[in-house]
Amino acid sequence: MSLIERLTLALADDPPSGLLPGDLVEGHDGDHRQAAVLVAITDRREPGLILTQRREHLRTHAGQVAFPGGRIDEGEDAVSAALREAREELGLNPALVRLLGEADPYCTVTGYWVTPVVGVVPPDMELVANPDEVSDWFEAPLAFVLDPANQRLMTAEYRGRLRHYYQIDWQGRHIWGATAAMLVNLTRRIGVKTP
């Protein structure tokens, strides 16, 4: 069974236990802002995953590797927000996305509940990074980023507390934080044990 078929089946099931819920945001009243990202998987024999490199000047998550996505605006749901953001950031045509479903929400340290929307896109789409938000984009092999052997558990001090996070390194790119955690959750959803 292909990885795309496994993801399709896994997203149709109830979430398994052991998923990473995200960060507890200190001093936050629990009224988290809603956001969505598009987990865009290229429809290849060896599927890839579209990721962006955020601009260095952005207020939050500057310079980080991320899925295309952002805040859910009034009147939107997670799917429409993720597709809108992918169009704004990369010029990705929403009509070309075959939706597989929504994955498990993840709470970021900046106070967002992020819903990953998983979809399959044609290979070799022409994507253009919006220079206001995205400095670059790239495609990493889906099998590589979903392989627990490549998902390293790291530790760092942040705001006076020791925090644990996952990092996936691919060709000099560091996929970490919420993006890596959502990939770890997808790995667990398809039934692969992670560290």
Side-chain angles (χ1 to χ4, degrees):
M1 182 181 304
S2 75
L3 267 177
I4 292 175
E5 291 169 329
R6 289 172 68 188
L7 277 170
T8 302
L9 290 174
L11 292 172
D13 290 339
D14 291 332
S17 61
L19 294 176
L20 304 172
D23 297 299
L24 296 176
V25 182
E26 294 174 26
H28 204 276
D29 62 7
D31 184 24
H32 297 283
R33 296 163 289 185
Q34 299 294 309
V37 295
L38 181 64
V39 181
I41 299 167
T42 54
D43 193 7
R44 304 180 187 282
R45 195 170 72 76
E46 299 294 331
L49 180 68
I50 303 293
L51 293 161
T52 67
Q53 184 89 42
R54 292 173 54 84
R55 297 280 307 202
E56 291 291 338
H57 74 278
L58 296 176
R59 246 187 9 239
T60 59
H61 309 291
Q64 291 183 8
V65 171
F67 297 114
R71 196 177 0 242
I72 297 176
D73 290 339
E74 190 172 332
E76 285 185 317
D77 59 12
V79 171
S80 58
L83 293 174
R84 174 184 53 78
E85 288 283 350
R87 175 173 277 221
E88 289 174 6
E89 292 180 18
L90 294 174
L92 194 151
N93 182 348
L96 298 179
V97 180
R98 178 171 50 94
L99 296 172
L100 300 184
E102 294 179 16
D104 309 283
Y106 185 85
C107 182
T108 70
V109 71
T110 52
Y112 282 93
W113 273 108
V114 181
T115 300
V117 175
V118 183
V120 178
V121 298
D124 305 317
M125 294 177 67
E126 185 171 335
L127 300 175
V128 178
N130 176 344
D132 292 333
E133 299 182 53
V134 176
S135 64
D136 194 12
W137 69 271
F138 63 98
E139 183 177 342
L142 184 63
F144 182 91
V145 297
L146 294 183
D147 185 342
N150 299 319
Q151 300 168 346
R152 296 183 302 136
L153 188 58
M154 311 286 282
T155 304
E157 189 173 319
Y158 179 75
R159 295 184 181 169
R161 286 183 53 200
L162 204 57
R163 294 196 178 269
H164 304 286
Y165 62 94
Y166 281 92
Q167 181 169 308
I168 303 163
D169 296 320
W170 185 76
Q171 293 192 346
R173 310 265 190 168
H174 304 296
I175 306 162
W176 67 282
T179 302
M182 287 183 257
L183 290 170
V184 169
N185 278 348
L186 282 176
T187 300
R188 293 176 179 183
R189 281 296 290 262
I190 61 174
V192 179
K193 300 253 189 279
T194 59

